[in-house]
């Protein structure tokens, strides 16, 4: 899968004994083996990749994301495709609520921080806490 111009492959890591995402640019000393393998019967690619958001294996658990965008960016937020299965609600005050499910909380966190004060996380509580901690740590640098 290509994400942000980088190519990644999903595979079993024998060192960590789990399925992991590998960046092609970090792979060294490739050795081609003549070994067949089968996907586990319960394997689902969507448990590892959410191509709309990211491919980072931070969690396999989907979370409902609910973001409220300020009226000053309401048009932008309502016209932007944040996720192919998003639900957009325009409020009377011009603010916009965007909802979708993903496993990619770290990537959503980066999006939110990149939007600055124009967006507020409404759900999930874990993401709200992570944003608060990140902003507190950032502020401490100044």
């Amino acid at each position: 899968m290509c994400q942000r111009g980088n190519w990644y492959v999903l595979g079993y890591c024998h060192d960590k004994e789990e399925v992991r995402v590998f960046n092609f640019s970090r792979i060294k000393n490739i050795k081609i083996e003549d070994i067949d393998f089968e996907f586990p019967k319960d394997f689902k690619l969507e448990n590892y990749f959410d191509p709309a958001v990211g491919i980072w294996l931070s969690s396999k658990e989907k979370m409902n994301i609910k973001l409220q965008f300020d009226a000053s960016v309401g048009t932008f937020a309502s016209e932007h495709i944040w996720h192919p299965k998003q639900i957009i609600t325009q409020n009377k005050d011009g603010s916009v609520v965007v909802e979708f499910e993903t496993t990619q909380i770290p990537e959503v966190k980066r999006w939110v921080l990149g939007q600055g004060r124009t967006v507020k996380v409404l759900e999930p509580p874990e993401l709200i806490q992570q944003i608060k901690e990140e902003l507190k740590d950032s502020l401490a640098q100044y």
Side-chain angles (χ1 to χ4, degrees):
M1 175 171 192
C2 186
Q3 184 78 18
R4 293 186 174 180
N6 292 304
W7 283 96
Y8 299 88
V9 63
L10 182 69
Y12 184 79
C13 177
H14 293 277
D15 289 338
K16 305 289 184 188
E17 298 183 346
E18 64 183 4
V19 176
R20 309 271 309 231
V21 175
F22 298 93
N23 184 325
F24 277 150
S25 67
R26 293 185 189 146
I27 297 174
K28 308 283 188 244
N29 304 318
I30 294 174
K31 180 179 166 187
I32 297 175
E33 301 272 349
D34 189 21
I35 299 172
D36 291 333
F37 68 93
E38 292 183 24
F39 287 101
K41 291 188 188 324
D42 62 348
F43 179 81
K44 292 182 182 177
L45 189 59
E46 60 269 16
N47 289 342
Y48 300 95
F49 294 151
D50 182 351
V53 180
I55 63 163
W56 327 117
L57 266 177
S58 53
S59 173
K60 291 182 185 177
E61 178 187 342
K62 287 186 179 181
M63 290 188 167
N64 186 54
I65 305 297
K66 191 172 186 180
L67 308 172
Q68 182 171 352
F69 289 84
D70 188 81
S72 66
V73 294
T75 301
F76 165 73
S78 66
E79 293 175 351
H80 189 83
I81 298 173
W82 302 97
H83 194 278
K85 295 183 179 179
Q86 68 192 19
I87 298 170
I88 294 179
T89 306
Q90 286 198 285
N91 297 322
K92 289 182 182 181
D93 66 359
S95 64
V96 173
V97 175
V98 177
E99 295 180 71
F100 57 90
E101 276 190 335
T102 186
T103 59
Q104 306 301 313
I105 300 304
E107 193 65 15
V108 173
K109 178 180 156 187
R110 282 187 275 281
W111 286 358
V112 168
L113 292 169
Q115 299 301 315
R117 65 162 195 80
T118 63
V119 66
K120 178 180 180 180
V121 177
L122 302 177
E123 291 179 19
E126 300 90 339
L127 180 57
I128 294 169
Q129 187 59 37
Q130 288 180 28
I131 295 291
K132 286 179 179 180
E133 289 171 11
E134 186 77 25
L135 291 172
K136 180 180 149 192
D137 291 346
S138 293
L139 189 58
Q141 293 187 52
Y142 299 94

